[in-house]
Every structure is written in structure tokens, then in C-alpha cells.
Amino acid sequence: MSNTVVSLDIGSSKVCVVLAEINKKQFNILGVGTSECKGVKKGIIVDIDSTVEAIQDAVSQAEQMSNREIKSTFVNIPGGYASLYKNKGVIAVSGDNKEIISEDVKRVLQAARVFSVTSDREIIDIIKEQFVVDGYGDIKDPIGMRGVRLEVDVSLVVASCTTVQNIIRSVEKSGLKIDGIVLEPLGTSMVTLSDDEKELGVALVDIGSETTDISVFNKGSLVFTKMIPVGGGHITSDISMVCKISHSDSENLKKQYGVSTSTLVKPEDTVKISALGGKGEKNVSLYEVSQVMEARISEILYLIRDTLEKEDLGESLSAGIVITGGGLFNIKGIQEVAQAHFNVPVRFGYPNFIGVASPMYSASTGIAVYALKNKKTSETLANEFRNDAADEVAVDGDYDLDEQEEKSGIFNRVKEFFTDFF
Ligand SMILES: Nc1ncnc2c1ncn2[C@@H]1O[C@H](COP(=O)(O)OP(=O)(O)OP(=O)(O)O)[C@@H](O)[C@H]1O
Ligand SMILES: [Mg+2]
């Protein structure tokens, strides 16, 4: 599987697996699998066994569709469960002719990883922002340049060990190896945002089932990420509670008749739904449903705006707001209602590939693109894992490597992998 990659999105409502390939620079989806998952609450795995079941089901669907065997996968960690810290690495260029080689880049990235974290948290990724050679910055790839002093500015992604361990356990218990853990907004942004938007300043808002992840990109980099615990699932629960119908009927009702403002419905419009307890049918007022939906949608949009304003990020969004995720997907009138809540342009984004052209596939597809764009495929990664383990570079400083070494084998392999994941 040299040009293929598998990605896994463990979401609050469903687990999704995507098997993709790059063929002659063309990104193709070979297989997709989706399975309802009850083991995740607000983006966090709370029941490993049911998550494992959902992963296995989704994997087998993707295998059948692609007629390939899936042995390993990239997996997401939601943006809200990781924190970003700015850090810097500095080294003296080693070669006699002062030409920067890949070993120098590896060393400066190792130096940038020297950072104190509490024992319950772990550095899971390093996002490089810029290299600086002898004081000249904004360099994306310094290899081949000449200089004496090499610096790198990075953002360290730090997550709770428990969250990461539960992800690793669930994936491994499903019978898969982990190729890497990708911070979800980094993946999602690959299929929903343009480079220009990331450069100008844009908020990527992933409204899922139980969570809304707000991530801000500026000057090409992820600068902020926060989760608020609301999503499309709350709209369904509201309908179910107010109209006294089952959860699955409310979900169908929302998908079929969902509107974002009650002005789109006539007060006399009703629909017949089976009453709770199997006692025949009852008339449900679509006007009442629309009022419930309008109230919850307004709340979600208000919370997004409030978060951006509290963080003083409103002014930096020259390219506006891009909404993705299934939470507000396909709800009639949502574009106008969302636009009315913000002073910047709002659009909806989703992966533009055959087989996954829906905002519910933004995270899974995005992680696959992220991995492939970074020239990581299952085969090359497996090799790199082995090589990295063989020539690990020692790091001095605050970061307690001894303590990290005590952690499980896969945990260390994943940690090592991230050091070089560019
Ligand atoms: N056609 C539709 N109309 C309205 N809502 C929809 C539609 N299709 C899906 N949804 C809603 O999208 C939500 C699921 O979205 P998504 O798959 O992005 O969430 P998730 O990734 O599982 O959850 P999270 O990101 O919160 O962990 C559900 O609440 C579902 O009801
Ligand atoms: Mg999601």
C-alpha cells in the first residue's frame, strides 16, 4: 500500500474510516466506512469496547468497498482536548561548509521539543511555524541553505495522557496499528480551507454531534483551538423533549424538515409521527419544531461568536468563518441565519472528493490528506518508525525523557514519530 493512507475519525456520533490514495498527484477515495458509536461522549472515549466495535465495523465496510486489507491507521484527537504552546529551538549548524542538512533540521526540532509538561500531559505533535537562518526568518525548508545559526519556531501540541491512551487502546484493540495521531483541525483544514484563507486569518468551526470545535488560523498557522460542548445532537434532544417523540424520530424529523428559522414554516404545518410507547400516531407541529431548532441554532452561533470575541480573535478573521461538521448540515436557511450572526463572511466547507463530499467526512478525509501531503504513507511510516527507534537523539533540558521512556511501547513510538512528522 505504498501510496495509500487510512484515517480514522472517532466522533461523538459515529466512527468514520477513509482509505485514500495519491495516484499521479490525484487524491482518490478508495473506501469509506461509517458506524454509529456510543462509546464517545463530547469527543472523548468513555467506553473502549463499544468504540472498538464501531471501529471494526467501519474498517470492514471500508475494506469491502476498496477490496483491500486495512492494517494501520492515522487517528484524530479533537482540537479542544489539546493545547498549543509556542516554543523555539536553536542550534549551531554542524557541517564544515555550513550547509544545512536534514540532520541539522532534525536536531533543531529536537531542541524545540524541550519543554516542561506536567506528568499527566504529553507532547503529541510539533507544528513548525518558520525556520530562521542567521536571523533571516519565514523560511519553510532550510535544507541546502548556508548559515551558522539555525532556529525554528514551533507550536507544541500537548494533550492529556489519558485521552491519548484511550485513543491508542481503542485503535489497537480493534486490531490496527497506529500510524500517527493528528490534531483534528489540522486535518479538517486541509479539505475545508484554502491556503489564502489560512494566511489571511480564518476561523474553522466544526459543529459535530456533541461538540463544536473552533480553530483559528492566521499567517498560515493554527493559532487557537477550543471546544464548546454543543452540537447537532442537542437540536435532536430538544425536539425529542419538546415534542415528546423518540430520539430517532426527532433525528429523522430534523433531517427531513429541519429549518433554521420559524419564518420558513407555516404555523398550521404538521406531520404525523408515532407516539411514544407505541400508542398510535400523533400530529407534531412543524412550527413548534422550527422554534425549537431556531432557539438552539441561535445559541450555538452565539457561543461561537462569544468565544471568538472573548479571545479577541474577531478582528483577525479577514477571510471570515468556515463552518463544517454535520451539526448544522443541510438545515434550510442556515447560510442566511449564520451570516446574520457574524460581521465577517461565513461559508460552509466540506471535502470536494467523490464518495466523501459531506461535512461529516471533513475530519476523516482531512486527516488522510494531511498524512499524504506530508508524504507519509503506511509503508514509509512503518519504516520511519523503525529507523526513528534505532537512531533516537538524546535531548537535554526540562523535558523529562526518563519519565517518558517508562510509558508503553506504542506511546513512545507515537511520540517519536511526531518529532519527525513534517
Ligand atoms: N441532513 C442533516 N440535517 C441536519 N443535521 C444533520 C444532517 N446529517 C447529519 N446531521 C447531524 O450531524 C451531527 C453529526 O455530525 P458529525 O458527524 O460531524 O459529528 P461527530 O463528528 O460524530 O461528533 P463530534 O464532532 O461532536 O464528536 C448529528 O447531530 C446529526 O444529527
Ligand atoms: Mg466530529
Side-chain angles (χ1 to χ4, degrees), residues 9 11-14 43 206-211 232-233 236 251 254-255 325-327 329-331 359-360:
D9 168 24
S12 304
S13 68
K14 50 96 185 73
D206 182 343
I207 306 174
S209 166
E210 294 184 2
T211 65
T236 309
E251 181 75 7
K254 175 179 83 170
K255 287 181 180 164
F329 174 47
N330 229 6
I331 295 176
M360 277 176 294

Side-chain angles (χ1 to χ4, degrees), residues 192-194 197-198 200-207 212-217 300-309 313-324 328 335 337-349:
T192 51
L193 304 181
S194 68
E197 285 173 324
K198 286 191 220 176
L200 281 169
V202 65
L204 173 63
V205 179
D206 182 343
I207 306 174
T212 291
D213 277 307
I214 304 167
S215 311
V216 175
F217 290 80
I300 295 174
L301 296 172
Y302 166 77
L303 288 171
I304 296 165
R305 198 183 64 195
D306 190 51
T307 304
L308 291 168
E309 282 175 359
L313 290 161
E315 296 299 310
S316 65
L317 307 179
S318 306
I321 295 174
V322 176
I323 299 178
T324 193
L328 298 188
Q335 171 69 51
V337 168
Q339 185 58 74
H341 270 79
F342 301 101
N343 314 323
V344 290
V346 178
R347 71 170 180 86
F348 282 71

Side-chain angles (χ1 to χ4, degrees), residues 52-124:
V52 166
E53 244 175 68
I55 295 174
Q56 287 173 333
D57 183 35
V59 165
S60 102
Q61 289 173 34
E63 284 183 330
Q64 273 177 25
M65 186 172 161
S66 60
N67 206 17
R68 294 183 188 217
E69 195 187 351
I70 292 175
K71 291 183 179 154
S72 63
T73 186
F74 284 88
V75 61
N76 66 318
I77 182 164
Y81 292 102
S83 318
L84 290 172
Y85 296 95
K86 297 269 176 216
N87 205 20
K88 207 176 185 57
V90 185
I91 58 150
V93 177
S94 56
D96 288 341
N97 61 0
K98 297 297 169 204
E99 182 174 323
I100 297 166
I101 57 171
S102 61
E103 192 55 37
D104 295 314
V105 172
K106 196 169 179 174
R107 278 196 306 124
V108 79
L109 289 171
Q110 289 278 8
R113 229 179 71 178
V114 177
F115 189 77
S116 256
V117 285
T118 51
S119 59
D120 59 337
R121 294 172 73 69
E122 176 68 20
I123 297 170
I124 60 158

Side-chain angles (χ1 to χ4, degrees), residues 229-240:
V230 284
H234 293 82
I235 302 175
T236 309
S237 306
D238 290 349
I239 298 171
S240 173

Side-chain angles (χ1 to χ4, degrees), residues 95-327:
D96 288 341
N97 61 0
K98 297 297 169 204
E99 182 174 323
I100 297 166
I101 57 171
S102 61
E103 192 55 37
D104 295 314
V105 172
K106 196 169 179 174
R107 278 196 306 124
V108 79
L109 289 171
Q110 289 278 8
R113 229 179 71 178
V114 177
F115 189 77
S116 256
V117 285
T118 51
S119 59
D120 59 337
R121 294 172 73 69
E122 176 68 20
I123 297 170
I124 60 158
D125 199 357
I126 302 182
I127 307 162
K128 61 177 191 248
E129 311 296 356
Q130 64 159 350
F131 288 95
V132 181
V133 179
D134 291 348
Y136 293 98
D138 276 333
I139 297 167
K140 295 281 174 211
D141 181 3
I143 292 176
M145 297 176 89
R146 278 169 203 270
V148 179
R149 179 186 164 96
L150 176 63
E151 297 167 56
V152 66
D153 290 328
V154 299
S155 285
L156 299 172
V157 184
V158 176
S160 130
C161 294
T162 317
T163 308
V164 177
Q165 289 283 5
N166 282 344
I167 293 172
I168 292 171
R169 279 208 197 99
S170 301
V171 175
E172 291 202 322
K173 237 181 142 183
S174 314
L176 301 177
K177 288 198 179 110
I178 292 192
D179 291 326
I181 302 179
V182 177
L183 186 64
E184 197 172 310
L186 290 178
T188 307
S189 70
M190 298 299 253
V191 291
T192 51
L193 304 181
S194 68
D195 287 346
D196 282 348
E197 285 173 324
K198 286 191 220 176
E199 201 59 43
L200 281 169
V202 65
L204 173 63
V205 179
D206 182 343
I207 306 174
S209 166
E210 294 184 2
T211 65
T212 291
D213 277 307
I214 304 167
S215 311
V216 175
F217 290 80
N218 215 327
K219 295 188 182 133
S221 302
L222 178 64
V223 292
F224 170 81
T225 175
K226 184 172 183 176
M227 182 273 280
I228 45 179
V230 284
H234 293 82
I235 302 175
T236 309
S237 306
D238 290 349
I239 298 171
S240 173
M241 224 150 53
V242 172
C243 302
K244 300 185 180 53
I245 55 175
S246 72
H247 194 269
S248 63
D249 282 337
S250 336
E251 181 75 7
N252 292 337
L253 196 63
K254 175 179 83 170
K255 287 181 180 164
Q256 206 174 341
Y257 301 101
V259 290
S260 49
T261 162
S262 52
T263 55
L264 294 170
V265 181
K266 292 195 201 105
E268 64 274 17
D269 285 348
T270 59
V271 64
K272 280 199 185 324
I273 303 278
S274 45
L276 278 179
K279 292 179 193 148
E281 288 189 319
K282 62 180 278 188
N283 276 329
V284 170
S285 158
L286 286 178
Y287 189 67
E288 193 173 40
V289 171
S290 70
Q291 285 181 314
V292 171
M293 290 187 68
E294 182 177 331
R296 183 61 87 168
I297 291 169
S298 294
E299 190 209 15
I300 295 174
L301 296 172
Y302 166 77
L303 288 171
I304 296 165
R305 198 183 64 195
D306 190 51
T307 304
L308 291 168
E309 282 175 359
K310 272 195 183 132
E311 297 290 335
D312 245 349
L313 290 161
E315 296 299 310
S316 65
L317 307 179
S318 306
I321 295 174
V322 176
I323 299 178
T324 193

